[in-house]
Amino acid sequence: MPISLHLADDPPPERADAARNRHAVLAAALRLVDHCGVDAVSMDAVATEAGVGKGTLFRRFGSRQGLMAAVLNESETQWQAAVLSGPPPLGPGAPPMGRLLEFGHSRLHLNLTHAALIRAAGRAGARSYAAVSFSAMHVRYLLGELGVRGDIALLATSLLAPLEVPILEQQVNQEGISLARIEAAWDDLVRRVAV
Amino acid sequence: MPISLHLADDPPPERADAARNRHAVLAAALRLVDHCGVDAVSMDAVATEAGVGKGTLFRRFGSRQGLMAAVLNESETQWQAAVLSGPPPLGPGAPPMGRLLEFGHSRLHLNLTHAALIRAAGRAGARSYAAVSFSAMHVRYLLGELGVRGDIALLATSLLAPLEVPILEQQVNQEGISLARIEAAWDDLVRRVAV
DNA sequence: AATAGAAACGGACTGCAGTCCGGTTATGCC
DNA sequence: GGCATAACCGGACTGCAGTCCGTTTCTATT
């Protein structure tokens, strides 16, 4: 009596020790990142903290960027859930324009909060595919609801681009622009784009 | 009878051997980058090719990013000259909207052409300060000419953001979007923003 | 329960970015 | 022209990302 069946064999099932090690590595990485800051965490340190060999880290996560992307994914998943099914105006229930503006503010703050981690994750594995494509999909949907005409997909990209980490960090750290002003400018941009 | 006077002593004058070495390093780096591609060029290789020690490279350019930024700067300078004083519609003489659209297309192509170098230059020294601030300044100026109302500085940033390398590479390499479509979408964005 | 085979493990190994310090060379002054 | 000083030079050294391969551990089958 098998406890879990494995029907479509495309993804070969993960071995028990592999799963255990993956969780140990993720927990160790999260611990070290919280404690020392992203940039001070080396792969050797994570391996030692997790009690595994270095080869294991690279086998499971491919690279340092991949590991950081996996750590980042923990919080991104929560945020995505809040967008898809949390309370309005971020979640469903509010009018589309209200949701869109709230979405931008929320993403802006999240990008600044996780700036170092997002940078360390680079474009490996999860980020440029999970976070970016989720956000793009959601903005496309809201632009559709608003009845915006034109190349919705690229308009969505254009609205998300000014919220990217390097740009926000330039504005906040180099030019000393306040968050309130950035939010207001983004609201203005959205209103101009959304007819 | 001194050949060159040095009036304001704030920047202490560069020693002759230092200048010679800097040119040798830049020439060697450019040669190697053209020949092997940016990512295959190591600092040791540049030092050997230029016939100097590794310490010299790091003294003059600070980091690999700094060296790549210096290499990049050679072509950026040419482009800036074309924008400021070249033939219209990129240079002065054309109506502002025409210049703005041409500027975007030009920057888009340049960013894709130099994508690897721009990425390697990161946000060191020149890029996030020369190229970005030059572009921002120019777009602010054109938006002013167009009579656009609002937070011109941040609107300029918002227009430039979708032209950044990571976003263009995602669109072109991952999603297979054509350059023509990206150009058209940017034109559309500009027209929506510029009232 | 024993076994065969495949997948995962781990630590020694490589290559590169960046640092450091003793030696060298240019410049300003006498 | 000679000398003192400060800047520059260069290569050996460190630490980390990523690789490789012999060894161990799991799982399916009988």
Side-chain angles (χ1 to χ4, degrees):
Chain A
M1 177 183 174
I3 294 190
S4 81
L5 341 173
H6 183 236
L7 297 178
D9 286 73
D10 280 39
E14 186 180 41
R15 251 168 58 170
D17 54 346
R20 191 166 6 96
N21 274 344
R22 200 189 56 229
H23 290 124
V25 167
L26 275 178
L30 191 55
R31 223 175 306 143
L32 287 175
V33 165
D34 282 346
H35 192 263
C36 319
V38 177
D39 297 336
V41 174
S42 73
M43 292 299 266
D44 294 81
V46 174
T48 303
E49 174 81 13
V52 302
K54 203 177 177 180
T56 303
L57 261 67
F58 282 92
R59 165 130 358 76
R60 306 299 307 180
F61 300 98
S63 67
R64 186 177 194 279
Q65 293 194 345
L67 174 58
M68 294 309 175
V71 171
L72 180 62
N73 197 39
E74 307 283 296
S75 27
E76 287 291 329
T77 304
Q78 279 184 269
W79 178 74
Q80 292 178 17
V83 171
L84 290 178
S85 59
L90 184 58
M97 180 56 85
R99 285 193 76 187
L100 183 51
L101 296 178
E102 184 64 22
F103 174 91
H105 298 181
S106 174
R107 188 68 246 177
L108 191 159
H109 285 93
L110 203 58
N111 273 354
L112 279 176
T113 305
H114 294 159
L117 195 53
I118 290 173
R119 174 120 33 72
R123 45 172 185 165
R127 165 100 185 123
S128 258
Y129 238 65
V132 168
S133 78
F134 170 82
S135 290
M137 190 195 66
H138 190 66
V139 172
R140 283 198 297 271
Y141 162 73
L142 291 175
L143 289 179
E145 292 288 299
L146 284 165
V148 172
R149 318 281 298 203
D151 193 333
I152 298 280
L154 294 201
L155 277 178
T157 301
S158 296
L159 290 182
L160 289 170
L163 302 179
E164 287 294 313
V165 168
I167 290 170
L168 292 180
E169 286 200 320
Q170 167 80 16
Q171 294 177 325
V172 172
N173 300 330
Q174 305 297 319
E175 302 172 11
I177 300 176
S178 74
L179 289 196
R181 188 177 159 203
I182 298 177
E183 285 185 355
W186 196 76
D187 293 354
D188 180 34
L189 176 70
V190 169
R191 291 210 178 83
R192 288 173 193 249
V193 166
V195 185
Chain B
M1 175 181 174
I3 294 192
S4 82
L5 339 173
H6 182 237
L7 297 178
D9 287 74
D10 280 40
E14 187 180 39
R15 253 168 59 171
D17 54 346
R20 191 166 7 95
N21 274 344
R22 199 189 56 229
H23 289 123
V25 167
L26 275 178
L30 190 55
R31 224 177 303 142
L32 288 175
V33 164
D34 283 346
H35 192 263
C36 318
V38 178
D39 296 336
V41 174
S42 73
M43 293 299 267
D44 294 81
V46 175
T48 303
E49 175 81 13
V52 303
K54 204 177 176 181
T56 304
L57 261 67
F58 282 93
R59 176 180 323 286
R60 306 299 309 180
F61 300 99
S63 68
R64 186 177 193 278
Q65 294 194 344
L67 174 57
M68 294 309 175
V71 172
L72 179 63
N73 198 39
E74 306 283 296
S75 28
E76 287 290 330
T77 304
Q78 279 185 270
W79 178 75
Q80 293 179 17
V83 171
L84 290 179
S85 58
L90 183 59
M97 179 57 85
R99 286 193 76 187
L100 182 51
L101 296 177
E102 185 64 23
F103 174 91
H105 298 179
S106 175
R107 189 67 244 177
L108 191 160
H109 285 95
L110 202 59
N111 274 354
L112 279 176
T113 304
H114 294 159
L117 196 52
I118 290 173
R119 187 181 300 279
R123 46 174 184 162
R127 165 100 183 125
S128 257
Y129 238 66
V132 167
S133 78
F134 170 82
S135 290
M137 190 195 65
H138 190 64
V139 172
R140 283 199 296 271
Y141 162 72
L142 290 175
L143 289 180
E145 292 289 299
L146 285 165
V148 172
R149 318 282 296 204
D151 192 333
I152 297 281
L154 293 201
L155 277 178
T157 302
S158 296
L159 290 181
L160 289 170
L163 303 179
E164 288 293 314
V165 168
I167 289 171
L168 291 180
E169 286 199 322
Q170 166 80 17
Q171 293 177 325
V172 172
N173 300 331
Q174 306 296 319
E175 301 171 12
I177 300 177
S178 74
L179 290 196
R181 188 176 158 204
I182 298 177
E183 285 184 357
W186 196 75
D187 293 354
D188 180 34
L189 176 69
V190 169
R191 292 209 178 83
R192 288 173 194 249
V193 165
V195 186

